[in-house]
Amino acid sequence: MTTMTVETLRNYINGEWRDSASGTLLEDRNPAQPDQVVARFQSSTPDDVAAAAEAAAAALPAWRAMPPPKRGEILFKAAALLEERADGVARAMTLEEGKTFREARGETLRGASILRFFAGEAWQPSGDTYPSANPSTFLYTTRAPLGVVTAITPWNFPVAIPCWKIAPALVYGNTVLLKPAELTPLTSYKIVQVLEDAGLPKGVLNLVLGKGSQIGDALVGHKHVAGVTFTGSNEVGRHVYNLAIDGHKKAQLELGGKNPIVVLDDADLEQAVTQTLNGAYLSTGQKCTAASRVIVMRSVKDEFTERLLRRVQAITVGDGLDPQTYMGPLVSQGQKDTVLKYIKIGQDEGARLLAGGHALDDAGRHGGYFVEPTLFDDVTPTMRIAQEEIFGPVLALITVDSFEEAIDVANGVQYGLSASVFTRDAERAFRFVSASESGIVHVNSETAGAEPQVPFGGMKSSSSFSREQGKAAVEFFTQIKTVYFDMPPAR
Ligand code: NAP
Ligand code: MG
């Protein structure tokens, strides 16, 4: 048996690692072996949030006044440090979130790319000059930071999502309160350490650990907070949004998805099968961009299904630290219960279980939150398993008779984050791109994936219509100032 020293994670407020005023610690557990405590962390209170907000407000004037390239240098250093520490960060992620080490390492390196991309944005133009109707006026725009920004992040991408919120917030001159999901405090802690070690001045980034239900309202509602960027569920997102708007704060939401893959009759089936498998089951289906519906044209349905089924049955489920594992556990008992509940709903609705459907609790997986990769056939578009976000390794196969029907089914949900089409026909590919009601469209690749240099976000119920990352990030984290500059008359 290996003995592990269990670290106690403190809040990071005004450049100091502090215990919460509550005196209470919460436990961070390994979803592959829930009796293993990975770390203990602060159960913060609104008083801790207030201290963090005061620190962030106090740090704002100097940070905002620092030339952007100097801020960029700090983010460049942080990117390099995160790369150096990638194995340790990835291991922490696998231990607390459950995804495989390979995926966790990939995400950590993506975090470094995000830091580096936004570091570079420090050297980009930040305004425009305009011709004025008045010959003596120099007319231009510049951008000002919002001020103190709260970032509330989910557990499923515990490096990438904090990085893609923190990095633009910082580079554009905001100071930050970060509240990571209670299921993944250790990974965020390591990100904050990286930024501290890269030389971030005190108070510029503050970490408040704990339960969203206890400190969420304080994080959104504090009088010093000017903006809130949130990624998570629609239910919590709506609450956060209403509270923010009520307090006249800028708010941005990235929410759920019910992402379709459309397989047309001329698709390369091997490519479509491989990409569908990855889209549906990597990260145990717990990506906001995971594929949860595959819409297949009848003429290729049998062959596609046969090939997909073979691949699903070959998926290895286990501890994410085991290099043989393709799919780790669900993140929590709650997620496991939800997934099993939806499998039952699917069966009750008359969908046909082709693969999976059960929890896995045998030797080696005992006690962990493991569920088999699950594939349903004969799903109709109105079934709940075809409409509601499950956030687990459950894929619904829907058969259609035409391209037009495929588009209607793909769009026939409240969500619109990501969508894929598989075809060799450029004309139908472009028609799909044009008709798709989703913020991200893939042609011949899976629904997941987010490169830092392009906008990311959804349509319909999947976001607040804003976009993160790329050149789009500046829109949320800054506000435009228009300047009419005239000289006094010559003396
Ligand atoms: P969640 O329950 O909504 O939690 C998200 C964050 O909100 C967590 O940090 C949570 O803290 C916090 N929170 C909880 N109650 C709060 C409150 N009353 N006020 C303020 N904050 C509060 O979502 P999740 O279960 O972590 O993540 C899964 C969801 O995220 C899925 O719906 C998924 O689709 C979505 N997601 C979307 C994207 C995207 O970019 N569109 C990306 C990833 C995930 P606690 O953990 O302490 O409760
Ligand atoms: Mg939650």
Side-chain angles (χ1 to χ4, degrees):
M1 236 189 101
T2 52
T3 46
M4 259 189 44
T5 44
V6 175
E7 205 179 345
T8 296
L9 313 180
R10 302 199 154 77
N11 290 331
Y12 185 65
I13 296 174
N14 205 26
E16 293 163 9
W17 296 96
R18 294 189 196 167
D19 287 326
S20 160
S22 72
T24 307
L25 294 177
L26 300 170
E27 283 177 339
D28 178 16
R29 287 172 178 273
N30 178 351
Q33 277 167 255
D35 55 1
Q36 183 189 12
V37 176
V38 178
R40 295 194 174 80
F41 62 102
Q42 308 301 311
S43 179
S44 298
T45 68
D47 286 345
D48 300 313
V49 173
E54 291 295 340
L60 184 62
W63 182 248
R64 187 169 48 195
M66 185 185 280
K70 287 230 166 352
R71 299 197 292 252
E73 291 292 356
I74 296 173
L75 292 185
F76 271 128
K77 268 190 212 148
L81 281 175
L82 184 55
E83 261 168 9
E84 264 173 53
R85 299 178 191 177
D87 284 359
V89 173
R91 196 182 144 78
M93 196 191 309
T94 298
L95 283 174
E96 69 178 359
E97 201 274 348
K99 70 177 69 175
T100 62
F101 181 78
R102 187 188 301 115
E103 285 189 87
R105 196 163 184 286
E107 183 188 335
T108 305
L109 296 178
R110 182 146 70 91
S113 300
I114 293 165
L115 291 171
R116 197 168 284 126
F117 173 80
F118 284 107
E121 287 300 283
W123 282 263
Q124 292 297 312
S126 59
D128 297 302
T129 62
Y130 292 79
S132 168
N134 184 338
S136 66
T137 301
F138 173 34
L139 184 56
Y140 68 99
T141 62
T142 179
R143 283 184 181 265
L146 287 181
V148 177
V149 172
T150 288
I152 300 177
T153 55
W155 43 263
N156 67 334
F157 285 103
V159 165
I161 294 177
C163 283
W164 85 43
K165 293 183 187 299
I166 294 170
L170 294 179
V171 83
Y172 300 127
N174 302 278
T175 57
V176 176
L177 309 183
L178 171 63
K179 153 66 182 99
E182 68 170 295
L183 293 170
T184 53
L186 178 59
T187 317
S188 324
Y189 187 82
K190 288 183 180 292
I191 296 297
V192 174
Q193 281 179 326
V194 157
L195 284 152
E196 178 189 40
D197 294 345
L200 211 59
K202 69 175 189 174
V204 169
L205 171 63
N206 303 275
L207 173 70
V208 188
L209 299 170
K211 288 182 181 288
S213 55
Q214 286 170 14
I215 53 174
D217 286 4
L219 281 157
V220 176
H222 193 281
K223 63 176 192 288
H224 289 333
V225 172
V228 181
T229 173
F230 172 92
T231 300
S233 63
N234 284 61
E235 188 190 358
V236 177
R238 192 171 304 114
H239 171 79
V240 164
Y241 200 74
N242 289 336
L243 192 62
I245 296 308
D246 216 40
H248 196 69
K249 298 158 196 301
K250 195 171 180 180
Q252 175 188 56
L253 309 176
E254 287 299 337
L255 306 166
K258 191 69 191 173
N259 311 299
I261 286 179
V262 171
V263 181
L264 298 184
D265 45 12
D266 65 340
D268 181 289
L269 290 186
E270 204 47 41
Q271 180 185 45
V273 162
T274 299
Q275 296 290 309
T276 301
L277 194 83
N278 291 341
Y281 301 108
L282 281 176
S283 288
T284 322
Q286 299 172 115
K287 294 182 187 176
C288 52
T289 49
S292 59
R293 300 180 290 151
V294 57
I295 300 162
V296 188
M297 283 178 77
R298 194 173 302 280
S299 58
V300 290
K301 192 249 169 183
D302 286 346
E303 192 184 345
F304 176 84
T305 307
E306 202 178 292
R307 290 197 200 189
L308 179 65
L309 183 58
R310 243 183 282 134
R311 300 283 295 276
V312 173
Q313 284 164 339
I315 286 177
T316 47
V317 181
D319 190 318
L321 289 179
D322 179 345
Q324 300 307 317
T325 296
Y326 175 92
M327 193 178 102
L330 275 312
V331 74
S332 65
Q333 183 68 50
Q335 283 293 124
K336 179 179 168 186
D337 292 345
T338 303
V339 167
L340 292 174
K341 181 191 83 180
Y342 272 107
I343 290 171
K344 168 94 176 38
I345 289 171
Q347 289 173 301
D348 291 348
E349 286 177 311
R352 189 158 57 88
L353 203 52
L354 285 188
H358 308 97
L360 287 163
D361 195 35
D362 50 352
R365 291 182 284 221
H366 184 63
Y369 307 130
F370 296 101
V371 174
E372 291 173 322
T374 297
L375 178 62
F376 274 111
D377 196 0
D378 299 340
V379 178
T380 62
T382 55
M383 286 182 183
R384 287 183 64 192
I385 59 165
Q387 288 287 328
E388 298 173 22
E389 184 182 52
I390 301 172
F391 225 55
V394 181
L395 180 63
L397 233 161
I398 302 171
T399 308
V400 291
D401 288 303
S402 69
F403 177 51
E404 288 68 27
E405 187 186 356
I407 291 174
D408 287 346
V409 172
N411 286 338
V413 294
Q414 63 159 315
Y415 296 108
L417 186 53
S418 177
S420 296
V421 66
F422 286 81
T423 180
R424 292 179 182 278
D425 175 355
E427 197 251 323
R428 287 193 298 177
F430 276 111
R431 270 168 65 203
F432 183 81
V433 169
S434 162
S436 178
E437 295 169 359
S438 58
I440 302 160
V441 184
H442 291 259
V443 177
N444 296 319
S445 62
E446 60 142 310
T447 48
E451 296 196 37
Q453 71 278 22
V454 282
F456 179 90
M459 293 183 180
K460 303 198 283 192
S461 296
S462 289
S463 91
S464 57
F465 310 103
S466 46
R467 294 290 181 268
E468 301 193 83
Q469 301 203 81
K471 293 287 181 194
V474 73
E475 300 301 335
F476 179 75
F477 290 105
T478 66
Q479 46 198 327
I480 293 175
K481 191 179 280 178
T482 305
V483 185
Y484 293 78
F485 199 114
D486 272 85
M487 299 300 276
R491 270 194 289 232

